[in-house]
Amino acid sequence: MRAARLIKMVLLLQSRPSMTAAELARELEVSERTVTRDAQALSEAGVPVYADRGRAGGYRLIGGYRTRLTGLARSEAEALFLSGVPGALREMGLEDAASAARLKVSAALLPSLRDASRTASQRFHLDAPSWFKEPKTPELLPVVADAVWDDRRITARYRRGDTEVERRLEPYGLVLKAGVWYLCARVADSAAPSVPGARPGREAPVRPDARPDTGSGTRSAPFRTYRIDRFSSVEAEDARFTRDEDFDLPAYWDHQAERFSRSILHAEVVVRLSPEGVRRLPHVVDPVSARDALAATDDAPDPHGWATVTLRVESEDVARTQLTALGAEVVVLAPESLRSRFAEDARRLAELYRGAAQG
C-alpha cells in the first residue's frame, strides 16, 4: 500500500512544477505529516525530492529527474479509455485505476502538454442519468464488471416480476442507458464450453429484459439483456468463456434498443399535427415511432401546414399522456375512444380557465 502511494507521489511531482504538502495530502488521501514522512523516505531512497520552505513552498523534483515507472497496467489502460465517464468508472470500481493511468500519461507527456487532462475536464463533462431522477448504483455492479473485463462466466439470481430465476451467463458487455445499467449476456448452458484463457464465440441479438432470442447470429445460443439492479446475487466462476472478437456491443445495443422500442408499440392512433407539432413529435413520443410515422405519411400537408400521420403507441393511456404535451399542436382523429378523452380533457380545461378568469 505504501509503495503504491510513494510511486503515485513521484508521478504527481513529475507531472507538475511543485506541489504543497496540503495538495499532496489531498491527492494521496493522507495527512500532511504522512506526506512529510513519505518525502523523506523517497529522498533516502535516492529520489531527489526537494522541500521549499515558507508559505509559498512545497515539494518538487530537482535535476530533471524522470521516473521510468510510467508503464500502464492492463486495468489502468482499459480504464483510461473510459476516463470521460467518471461516474461510470466510480460505479464499476475503476476510479483508482483510471486515476493511476491519468497520472502515468501525464508524467510521460511533455511539460507543455501536462495540463491537457485538466483543461479537457474543465471543458467537457458527461452526465449520463436522465433529468429529475436520482441514479442508484447497483450493489453488484463491480462484481459483474470484473467478470465482463475478465471474460468469466457468472451464476446469477435474477428477479423477474414476482419470481426469481438462476442463470449461468457469459457476460459480454455493460451498457449505461439513462442512468440504468444493463448486462448483455449469453446463456451459458446453451453456449460453447468454456476454455481457460480463451476468446471468440458469436452472438445473437436480444432486447432489454427480453426472453431468449436466437436472432441471426451464427450460434443458436440465446442472448438476453438484464438490468443489473435486478440481480440479487452474482458469483463469478474461475474458468473463462470463449468470446467472439467480432461482437460489436454498440451496434448490438442500438439494434436491440430499436427492436425493443417497436416491440412495445401495440396500438395505433391517427393524428393531425401542426408544423410545430411535427417538429416536437420526436420529443414527446418514442423517437423510433415518430420517425416511422413521419416517414410513412403519403399525404402532403394542408394549406396551413398541418399533416395527418398514423402513429404507433404503447397504449391509449400512454398516447394520451404523451400527446397531451403537444397541446393545441395536435388533433386526435382516431380511435374514437381516444379522441373522446381528448375532447373531454379540452372541455374540462376550458371550464377551469373560464372559472379562473371569472374568479
Side-chain angles (χ1 to χ4, degrees), residues 3-4 6-8 10-11 14 42 47 65-73 76 100-101 103-105 107-108:
L6 292 174
I7 291 172
K8 186 174 182 179
V10 173
L11 291 173
Q14 186 171 305
L42 287 171
V47 179
Y65 179 84
R66 305 286 296 175
T67 178
R68 293 183 176 272
L69 298 173
T70 52
L72 291 178
E76 295 166 351
L103 273 175
K104 291 181 178 182
V105 170

Side-chain angles (χ1 to χ4, degrees), residues 272-281 301-307 329:
R272 290 183 67 236
L273 296 165
S274 70
E276 176 64 13
V278 169
R279 186 188 70 80
R280 289 167 50 189
L281 185 66
D302 67 17
H304 301 289
W306 285 68
E329 309 302 329

